[in-house]
């Protein structure tokens, strides 16, 4: 296994704010989480931060991956249940603004690479059988958000008007969270794990895998400054730090979102690259 290489990087959107992403690895697995919740100034019913939730769920999920017993769906469901039990006595977990997170998880066995994707973080697989990387992401959140985002993109960011519209957008979006015909994220209900995208590939057919929060994948899927193949080349040659550097440079060139309308001018960015 000397030819296996793993590199991780994560960076907060702003130096004065906590990083709400989480990335972690064990010898046979990697997880990337992108935390989400209400804006800090709104009441959520939970005394814990989004960063706490992402870190706690990510750590629990890594432990579950290490056992190699059961499916990734089962591992995520049990981890959601475990974290919920840690704060159910102090927090209102039924509140729609209770902390949540997207999830990408990979687990390697002797013969296979197992994967799970919940919500809009991205898994990219470079495989022998395809000329272009295989891109896996759960588009249900984007489908719901597209119908609610209209007014948000009319106003420059940062601005008071944009801030108000972003709050309105987030509140409307949360009404569709973890509901039929809506979208699914990890929060307090283990049932969400059953709605994750999952799959397995023979390990000998996978050259490399990338796991990205949407703050890192935006170089391709929002800014369109690289293809998925070029993103994988950046990760292979320069490690995830360089990918995040390129994302930050693009964000700096468009501070008000006039070129690339988006809900956040800067976002937490996390990338993991696993070469086999």
């Amino acid at each position: 296994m000397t030819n296996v290489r793993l590199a991780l990087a994560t960076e907060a959107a702003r130096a004065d704010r906590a990083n709400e992403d989480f990335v972690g690895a064990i010898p046979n697995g990697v997880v990337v989480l992108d935390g989400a919740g209400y804006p800090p100034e709104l009441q959520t019913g939970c005394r814990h931060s989004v960063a706490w939730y992402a870190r706690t769920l990510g750590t629990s999920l890594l432990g579950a991956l290490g056992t190699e017993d059961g499916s990734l769906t089962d591992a995520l469901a049990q981890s959601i249940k475990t974290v919920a039990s840690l704060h159910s006595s102090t927090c209102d977990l039924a509140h729609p603004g209770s902390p949540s997170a997207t999830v990408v998880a990979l687990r390697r066995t002797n013969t296979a690479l197992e994967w799970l994707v919940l919500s809009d973080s991205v898994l990219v697989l470079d495989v022998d059988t395809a000329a272009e990387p295989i891109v896996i992401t759960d588009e249900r959140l984007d489908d719901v958000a597209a119908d609610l985002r209209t007014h948000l993109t009319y106003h420059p960011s940062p601005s008071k008007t944009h801030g108000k519209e972003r709050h309105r957008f987030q509140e409307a979006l949360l009404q569709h969270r973890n509901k039929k015909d809506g979208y699914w994220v990890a929060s307090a209900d283990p049932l969400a794990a059953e709605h994750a995208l999952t799959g397995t590939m023979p390990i000998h057919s996978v050259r490399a895998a990338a796991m990205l929060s949407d703050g890192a994948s935006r170089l391709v899927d929002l800014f369109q400054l690289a293809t998925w193949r070029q993103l994988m080349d950046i990760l292979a040659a320069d490690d995830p730090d360089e990918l995040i550097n390129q994302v930050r440079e693009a964000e700096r060139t468009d501070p008000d979102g006039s070129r690339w309308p988006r809900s956040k001018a800067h976002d937490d960015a996390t990338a993991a690259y696993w070469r086999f």
Side-chain angles (χ1 to χ4, degrees):
M1 302 231 340
T2 57
N3 62 332
V4 177
R5 171 175 167 262
L6 177 65
L8 315 172
T10 186
E11 182 178 285
R14 290 167 35 186
D16 62 341
R17 294 283 295 274
N19 188 346
E20 296 177 343
D21 286 357
F22 172 86
V23 60
I26 56 176
N28 70 320
V30 185
V31 300
V32 168
L33 279 70
D34 183 354
Y38 263 21
E41 58 271 24
L42 298 181
Q43 296 298 314
T44 68
C46 183
R47 66 171 63 179
H48 298 90
S49 68
V50 171
W52 173 88
Y53 179 80
R55 180 176 66 252
T56 307
L57 179 63
T59 302
S60 178
L61 182 55
L62 279 173
L65 294 187
T67 67
E68 296 192 17
D69 293 330
S71 67
L72 294 184
T73 301
D74 291 340
L76 178 58
Q78 182 57 51
S79 296
I80 292 172
K81 184 177 180 180
T82 296
V83 177
S85 70
L86 296 177
H87 64 141
S88 59
S89 63
T90 60
C91 305
D92 177 12
L93 302 190
H95 191 288
S98 183
S100 64
T102 73
V103 180
V104 182
L106 285 181
R107 181 168 63 189
R108 175 184 175 142
T109 70
N110 290 332
T111 60
L113 186 70
E114 305 168 340
W115 54 264
L116 176 149
V117 177
L118 181 64
S119 200
D120 64 343
S121 290
V122 180
L123 171 64
V124 187
L125 297 174
D126 192 1
V127 300
D128 292 333
T129 56
E132 294 297 321
I134 298 171
V135 181
I136 302 163
T137 187
D138 182 349
E139 297 180 344
R140 285 171 290 188
L141 174 57
D142 288 340
D143 291 343
V144 172
D147 294 332
L148 303 172
R149 185 178 279 126
T150 305
H151 295 290
L152 185 64
T153 60
Y154 290 159
H155 306 287
S157 172
S159 69
K160 288 185 178 180
T161 304
H162 184 276
K164 290 179 180 180
E165 285 297 332
R166 183 165 177 258
H167 293 170
R168 182 202 62 79
F169 166 73
Q170 289 179 312
E171 288 184 309
L173 194 63
L174 286 169
Q175 301 310 309
H176 299 268
R177 190 183 80 171
N178 289 0
K179 292 182 178 179
K180 182 180 178 181
D181 300 324
Y183 65 96
W184 295 84
V185 293
S187 185
D189 186 354
L191 178 65
E194 298 182 13
H195 294 268
L197 308 179
T198 59
T200 303
M201 301 196 75
I203 191 63
H204 62 76
S205 70
V206 184
R207 291 190 289 259
M211 307 162 69
L212 312 164
S213 68
D214 65 351
S217 67
R218 57 172 43 184
L219 187 74
V220 177
D221 53 26
L222 177 60
F223 301 152
Q224 298 183 341
L225 295 176
T227 64
W228 292 113
R229 168 57 62 198
Q230 289 169 334
L231 179 143
M232 295 297 282
D233 290 344
I234 293 169
L235 293 172
D238 299 306
D239 289 342
D241 286 316
E242 175 57 23
L243 172 62
I244 295 175
N245 288 341
Q246 293 192 28
V247 170
R248 295 292 181 241
E249 180 58 30
E251 291 171 340
R252 284 191 290 269
T253 66
D254 183 43
D256 62 356
S258 57
R259 179 178 179 184
W260 298 299
R262 53 198 189 274
S263 60
K264 297 179 181 179
H266 304 275
D267 198 2
D268 299 335
T270 298
Y273 178 75
W274 202 359
R275 185 175 65 200
F276 303 98

